[in-house]
Amino acid sequence: MNGREQLLVAESEIGLAIIALGSLNPTDLDVHPIESEDDEARLEQHSTLKALWADRRRQIGGTKIADAEPHIRSAEQAAVRALNFLEDHALGEAAHEAVHRAAQLRRGLLGCPIEFRDDAYWTTCPFSLAHIRVGFSAGITGSFVCSVCEKPMEDCDHLPGTTYDHVKRGGDGSCNVCHESNCEHTDGETYAATATPVGVAFSAHEVSMVPRPMYPQARFGEIEVTDDLDFEARALAQAGRLHCDECLGPCEGLLDARTWASRVGLPIA
Ligand SMILES: [Zn+2]
Ligand SMILES: [Zn+2]
Ligand SMILES: [Zn+2]
Ligand SMILES: [Zn+2]
């Protein structure tokens, strides 16, 4: 699925969640402005929204929330994927807004637990992770062989793009004429085939963090919470009752990979 399709999935899953919940309006998920650099205004917004959602949770009830949960989670996942595909595209802002809408619903009704583990605090908040625009890329090595003679490209005399007579060989594995596993070619017959480089023995090495990964969905699944947590917050987290509020928005904007890396002291490619 591409970014546009993911965006449609996000909106339709939000719609299905709202139907399952019965008493919410789609506009209940819009928080404006979606970005703000005013820390105090953000915190104020968080406490207003937390109270509002506590009321809504009571009104809606656990059964309906449980019915809506799969739609809420897939809406947010699709919105994040859409943003990963579309961040440099005209629809990037629409995807960013969809992340906010879906996260609002998820945080409001399902929470966003911060986990205490290995002497550290961890979050898997899809909203927070989506705002850090960094991904992984793997350096890849491999070699190409000739599709006609199956020797390394540099050791054969076949010219890529030129057609040669090719005898279909029997045996297991893919067809040596067309490189498909299920085809019409008959063993022992001669076919005309074009010499092309075929990639073999590819392996990934040396994973690095980059602003725009080749596979847009290759991203963090969890990060350490680096904010200073006060005594009360630490106690709540250790009891499994601390929640992330960031996903109630507004955000500080999308954080580019380099700014993020210099904040946390990690190298970026
Ligand atoms: Zn060859
Ligand atoms: Zn074939
Ligand atoms: Zn969160
Ligand atoms: Zn945002």
Side-chain angles (χ1 to χ4, degrees), residues 87-88 133-135 209-213 219 256-258 268-269:
E87 60 183 320
D88 298 316
R133 302 313 304 156
V134 65
M209 284 188 287
V210 294
R212 295 291 182 271
R219 291 176 195 268
D256 74 89
R258 268 164 234 292
I268 197 104

Side-chain angles (χ1 to χ4, degrees), residues 161-205:
T162 308
T163 302
Y164 296 91
D165 280 345
H166 212 56
V167 179
K168 164 77 163 84
R169 200 182 51 218
D172 296 338
S174 60
C175 166
N176 65 314
V177 175
C178 65
H179 303 279
E180 301 291 326
S181 46
N182 234 323
C183 70
E184 312 279 286
H185 295 119
T186 313
D187 292 355
E189 293 279 312
T190 302
Y191 298 93
T194 306
T196 45
V198 178
V200 290
F202 272 70
S203 65
H205 62 100

Side-chain angles (χ1 to χ4, degrees), residues 29-49:
L29 308 181
D30 293 324
V31 175
H32 289 294
I34 78 160
E35 289 183 23
S36 162
E37 280 173 15
D38 183 343
D39 292 352
E40 222 160 281
R42 275 204 313 278
L43 292 179
E44 222 165 275
Q45 184 76 274
H46 292 166
S47 35
T48 311
L49 287 167

